Amino acid sequence: MDALASPAGARNFSAQYFSDFAAALRYWRGKRGISQLRLSVDSGISQRHLSFLETGRAQPGKDLILKLGLVLDIPLRQRNAMLLAAGFAPAYRERNLQDPDMEAVKQALEFMLQQQSPYPALVVDRLWNLVMANEPAARMMRFFLGMPAHMPIPRDGSVNVIRMTLDPNGLRPALVNWQEVCADQLQWVQREAMGDGPGSEAAKLLDELLALPGIAEAASQPNLDRLALPFLPITLRKDEVALKLFTTITTLGTPHDVTVHELRLEAFFPADEASRRWFERQAQ
């Protein structure tokens, strides 16, 4: 299971989350590329008041923070962080997937995983920690990681899919085009790190991934030739088996829970006939 384990030592960022509401509001308005005037029009809040909020001369109410979070399309986790920075309690709960209230969500995800068979599918959280997987996905991981045929794949969030993919002791030796895949996968973590700010779990994960051998160099040299294709294929090879895959990402609509908002289902599809036949044979 060493290939699935998290490395013990990750470099830390010295800074912390946004220290106050004003800093967070300035960050998110800038990230969305919206002027104060545009935000004023879209939110119905005067530009003067927005200016005071961004300089700390005025303090926001809870309803105002929620309105700005909606207009700026701020992730639910970060809306909670902004509420806390302004002295309010979080507005959105963060339930465990095993919570009884989440049973309908869990059943829906299990249904989608089953429907994807004989092809692999995973459910991950916002940092790409594995929380659910169908049997074809587990079978594919065991094969390319050289694990025993019936060894269980942890589904408790302890396996990070991106780390497992890019680690030289993980899937990377079997990933023919790992440099191209690297740049795309890092973008997911970079988005989370930019939203969370320095010192966050996402920022630490990004730092940890960039510390893996060859990752920083590969991420800084994008391959523009791949843009000729409609998608980036994931090409895996081991012994006589060569698989070419592409993926889709599904999220849950109208979330009012942080966990639900952050769950993603990644479904793998064969990009050629040989790959399709291999998965169908494995399912027999």
Side-chain angles (χ1 to χ4, degrees):
M1 291 296 291
D2 290 345
L4 298 180
S6 301
R11 293 178 295 164
N12 293 324
F13 286 77
S14 59
Q16 298 300 317
Y17 291 96
F18 297 112
S19 58
D20 54 45
F21 173 81
L25 178 57
R26 291 194 304 270
Y27 170 81
W28 280 106
R29 185 175 63 79
K31 181 175 172 62
R32 297 303 186 224
I34 298 176
S35 66
Q36 279 189 354
L37 178 59
R38 170 67 183 276
L39 182 56
S40 173
V41 172
D42 291 348
S43 65
I45 301 168
S46 75
Q47 187 176 354
R48 177 184 174 86
H49 190 48
L50 286 172
S51 177
F52 283 0
L53 289 171
E54 290 193 0
T55 58
R57 293 177 63 186
Q59 295 302 311
K62 183 174 183 178
D63 290 343
L64 184 146
I65 296 174
L66 294 175
K67 178 186 288 187
L68 289 172
L70 185 63
V71 172
L72 291 171
D73 191 26
I74 299 173
L76 301 190
R77 179 180 297 276
Q78 297 309 319
R79 295 183 205 182
N80 278 345
M82 292 175 77
L83 285 164
L84 286 169
F88 298 104
Y92 303 97
R93 290 184 60 186
E94 183 175 1
R95 300 171 178 84
N96 187 284
L97 198 54
Q98 307 306 319
D99 190 294
D101 290 344
M102 299 283 277
E103 184 61 26
V105 172
K106 186 177 179 182
Q107 289 179 358
L109 292 170
E110 288 174 343
F111 177 80
M112 288 188 281
L113 289 173
Q114 292 170 5
Q115 294 302 304
Q116 180 64 11
S117 186
Y119 308 126
L122 314 169
V123 176
V124 296
D125 64 18
R126 72 191 186 105
L127 298 183
W128 293 81
N129 298 311
L130 182 66
V131 294
M132 297 176 73
N134 65 5
E135 184 53 34
R139 192 183 298 121
M140 182 176 70
M141 284 188 275
R142 292 189 197 103
F143 176 77
F144 285 104
L145 290 171
M147 297 167 58
H150 299 290
M151 190 170 187
I153 302 294
R155 295 169 170 87
D156 57 0
S158 62
V159 174
N160 184 273
V161 174
I162 294 182
R163 185 190 297 117
M164 178 184 67
T165 302
L166 301 180
D167 195 320
N169 297 314
L171 283 175
R172 193 203 290 187
L175 190 57
V176 176
N177 61 332
W178 72 267
Q179 291 96 336
E180 290 83 1
V181 171
C182 166
D184 279 47
Q185 292 202 334
L186 285 180
Q187 286 182 5
W188 289 98
V189 183
Q190 287 170 338
R191 291 191 193 103
E192 296 295 338
M194 289 177 65
D196 289 1
S200 63
E201 288 182 84
K204 291 175 183 177
L205 175 60
L206 179 61
D207 202 34
E208 179 185 314
L209 292 171
L210 289 171
L212 292 172
I215 294 299
E217 294 81 357
S220 65
Q221 299 176 4
N223 181 4
L224 298 181
D225 291 339
R226 66 186 179 179
L227 298 180
L229 296 173
F231 55 81
L232 174 64
I234 299 171
T235 306
L236 294 163
R237 185 183 299 276
K238 180 181 178 182
D239 302 331
E240 301 301 316
V241 175
L243 301 180
K244 184 174 288 188
L245 310 169
F246 68 95
T247 71
T248 64
I249 304 295
T250 302
T251 58
L252 295 165
T254 60
H256 286 263
D257 177 275
V258 174
T259 300
V260 174
H261 185 247
E262 296 174 345
L263 289 175
R264 304 184 183 102
L265 188 147
E266 182 175 24
F268 293 76
F269 293 89
D272 59 21
E273 186 63 18
S275 301
R276 182 187 66 78
R277 289 196 300 268
W278 186 83
F279 283 111
E280 291 179 352
R281 285 196 302 270
Q282 301 307 304
Q284 293 175 357

